[in-house]
Amino acid sequence: NAGVTQTPKFQVLKTGQSMTLQCAQDMNHEYMSWYRQDPGMGLRLIHYSVGAGITDQGEVPNGYNVSRSTTEDFPLRLLSAAPSQTSVYFCASSYSNPSGSNEQFFGPGTRLTVL
Amino acid sequence: AQTVTQSQPEMSVQEAETVTLSCTYDTSENNYYLFWYKQPPSRQMILVIRQEAYKQQNATENRFSVNFQKAAKSFSLKISDSQLGDTAMYFCAFMKLFSYNNNDMRFGAGTRLTVKP
C-alpha cells in the first residue's frame, strides 16, 4: 500500500493562476479531507468528502473547490490563487470504525507559494 | 464549535529526561476522541497516541502517555526517556464521536519540542 499520496510536493504560482493539488489513497477509505497548515495556527479543514460523489465545506473553504468522482481520488482546485493561500496543504483519509477510534492517515503535504 | 489550545509554543528537554506538553479544549460534546500527532522536519503527520473520552483509563503507548482530565477539559502528553528522534512539532487534536465527517479534526497551534543531547 502506498497510503495517501500527494502531488506535487512543492509549487510556486503567480497571483491569479489556477492549479489542482492531487490526492490519492489506496486503502479504500470512505472519508477524505483537505487541510491547510499555517504557522501558529495548526491545521484547518478546507473541504471534506464522506464518500464518492459527496463533498462539503470545512472551516476555511473560500477560494477552493473539490470533487470526488472515485473513492481513491480527491483533488483540490485553486481557482485564482492569492498570496493568502500560501501554505502547506495536507490530504487525509480514514474509514468508519464504530468499534474503535478513527485514525486519519495523512499524505506528505504540498508546500504552495503564491507570489 | 470546538477549540483546542496549546499554550506552550516551544519547549526543550534534555535527552533521557521527561517532558509534558499541555493541551486544553473547549466543547459541549460528551463523546469525542483526542489525539496527539507528531510532525518531524519531514512534515509527515504521525499519530502518537489517542484517547476516547468515554474511557477513564489514560492511554499509553510505550514512552508516551496522556493525562486526560475530562472535567477540566485537559489532555496533556508525557514523553518519558526523551530521545533525539522525538524532536518535532506536536499537535493536539479533537474529533467528535460519530461525527458525520469522520475527518473533521480540530487542531491546536502546536508545540515545538527540541530534545537536546
Side-chain angles (χ1 to χ4, degrees):
Chain A
N1 279 355
V4 181
T5 58
Q6 290 183 237
T7 55
K9 285 190 167 51
F10 301 93
Q11 183 70 48
V12 179
L13 292 177
K14 294 181 180 177
T15 297
Q17 286 185 314
S18 63
M19 81 157 295
T20 299
L21 306 185
Q22 301 291 346
C23 173
Q25 52 93 7
D26 61 359
M27 298 173 283
N28 202 33
H29 285 172
E30 307 133 274
Y31 301 91
M32 296 186 76
S33 295
W34 277 102
Y35 292 88
R36 60 178 288 173
Q37 182 181 16
D38 301 298
M41 300 189 74
L43 279 72
R44 291 180 293 166
L45 183 66
I46 304 172
H47 284 286
Y48 65 92
S49 170
V50 301
I54 307 170
T55 65
D56 208 341
Q57 297 180 351
E59 255 185 296
V60 288
N62 293 341
Y64 308 95
N65 273 358
V66 293
S67 60
R68 183 111 179 259
S69 56
T70 67
T71 299
E72 294 78 19
D73 300 300
F74 190 45
L76 177 73
R77 296 184 189 84
L78 281 70
L79 306 174
S80 177
S84 61
Q85 293 178 305
T86 294
S87 188
V88 179
Y89 291 84
F90 286 95
C91 180
S93 73
S94 69
Y95 59 94
S96 176
N97 183 0
S99 61
S101 60
N102 303 305
E103 178 183 353
Q104 286 199 73
F105 295 81
F106 285 85
T110 295
R111 180 176 293 278
L112 175 68
T113 301
V114 183
L115 303 175
Chain B
Q2 292 77 29
T3 58
V4 179
T5 302
Q6 293 179 249
S7 58
Q8 306 151 314
E10 294 190 20
M11 293 190 72
S12 63
V13 63
Q14 291 296 130
E15 195 175 7
E17 292 188 347
T18 296
V19 63
T20 298
L21 309 184
S22 300
C23 173
T24 59
Y25 58 94
D26 185 26
T27 184
S28 58
E29 300 289 332
N30 194 44
N31 296 310
Y32 48 87
Y33 297 123
L34 295 164
F35 303 84
W36 278 99
Y37 276 88
K38 170 185 177 181
Q39 186 181 45
S42 67
R43 215 166 59 197
Q44 183 68 47
M45 294 287 286
I46 302 165
L47 178 65
V48 174
I49 199 165
R50 58 183 163 227
Q51 173 83 42
E52 290 88 343
Y54 63 87
K55 290 185 178 179
Q56 293 187 339
Q57 187 173 3
N58 288 327
T60 300
E61 289 285 344
N62 301 315
R63 298 183 294 109
F64 299 89
S65 61
V66 298
N67 183 4
F68 173 48
Q69 302 288 329
K70 190 173 184 179
K73 296 180 183 174
S74 170
F75 182 60
S76 61
L77 173 70
K78 186 171 83 171
I79 306 174
S80 304
D81 187 24
S82 296
Q83 300 176 359
L84 296 178
D86 295 333
T87 292
M89 196 78 162
Y90 286 82
F91 292 98
C92 179
F94 170 99
M95 188 170 71
K96 287 192 299 184
L97 190 62
F98 303 129
S99 171
Y100 171 68
N101 175 20
N102 200 48
N103 274 9
D104 189 359
M105 273 189 176
R106 301 300 164 119
F107 288 83
T111 296
R112 185 174 302 281
L113 176 68
T114 302
V115 180
K116 298 180 179 178

